[in-house]
Amino acid sequence: FPLSAVGAGAQADTSSIRRRMESNQQLVAQRLSTTSDDVERSRLVDQIGTIRVAAITPILRASVTETLRRENVVQGDRSRRARTGQAIGDQFDAELRLKLVELVVAFGDPAGIDALAGAVGTGGRAVNGIADFGAQAVPALIAVIEADRTNPDVVSGALDALRYIVEEHREEIPAD
């Protein structure tokens, strides 16, 4: 066996593994986007959390980000109904939302800014994660405040993120 033949075989194996992994991620992304089962969504997000961030495909990243956006809408609707004394319906999986925030923050992709802005009412990780984007996150944070002025958690989270941006990214903010 020439040593170069072994090397070529290893490269083919690695390429095959990569293709299978990408195919599996595409299936997970599709299922995450289509299931209405909270338990299944949570299980899928737990599965995604075991993958190295650098190995997560763009399709799966987009699906996770979109799922966070949808969860933000659901929670926003529930919060508005609760503040007006209306029934809020089924139990909401807040833990799922926090797991999604963790993933979107880990991606470090500006495409996730709007989704993170919608989750600033969860506090901590969403607030710090969006603040890391600096000045490019400011329009999304202002939009969240304007859209949900009556939710103190959202307003407080967005204002905290804006404060962190001013403190940590002052040089990025235009003077005018």
Side-chain angles (χ1 to χ4, degrees):
F1 253 132
L3 200 52
S4 61
V6 171
Q11 285 177 341
D13 286 346
T14 302
S15 178
S16 173
I17 290 168
R18 185 179 308 114
R19 279 193 307 279
R20 271 196 315 267
M21 187 173 72
E22 288 174 359
S23 175
N24 289 342
Q25 287 189 34
Q26 188 169 359
L27 293 172
V28 170
Q30 181 180 17
R31 191 66 194 147
L32 183 62
S33 296
T34 58
T35 185
S36 60
D37 181 341
D38 289 344
V39 174
E40 184 177 10
R41 270 198 317 274
S42 187
R43 185 184 56 77
L44 289 167
V45 170
D46 286 342
Q47 243 181 12
I48 296 164
T50 66
I51 304 170
R52 282 183 314 106
V53 172
I56 297 175
T57 62
I59 290 170
L60 187 52
R61 288 174 187 239
S63 179
V64 168
T65 302
E66 184 55 35
T67 301
L68 177 57
R69 282 189 189 98
R70 285 194 318 269
E71 293 295 319
N72 290 340
V73 169
V74 168
Q75 181 56 30
D77 290 345
R78 287 176 54 82
S79 293
R80 277 186 283 289
R81 287 195 307 271
R83 285 193 309 273
T84 61
Q86 298 174 358
I88 56 174
D90 296 335
Q91 181 68 27
F92 176 75
D93 189 351
E95 187 177 326
L96 170 62
R97 193 170 177 216
L98 294 175
K99 291 175 191 177
L100 290 164
V101 165
E102 284 293 331
L103 286 169
V104 173
V105 168
F107 298 159
D109 184 352
I113 289 174
D114 289 336
L116 289 173
V120 293
T122 64
R125 195 66 176 120
V127 170
N128 293 323
I130 195 167
D132 288 343
F133 286 103
Q136 63 184 324
V138 170
L141 290 165
I142 291 170
V144 162
I145 292 170
E146 289 175 346
D148 203 356
R149 294 174 193 251
T150 62
N151 186 327
D153 294 331
V154 170
V155 172
S156 176
L159 290 174
D160 284 345
L162 288 167
R163 180 174 53 90
Y164 296 151
I165 291 169
V166 169
E167 291 172 354
E168 301 294 324
H169 302 275
R170 187 179 307 263
E171 69 283 351
E172 297 174 23
I173 300 170
D176 51 332

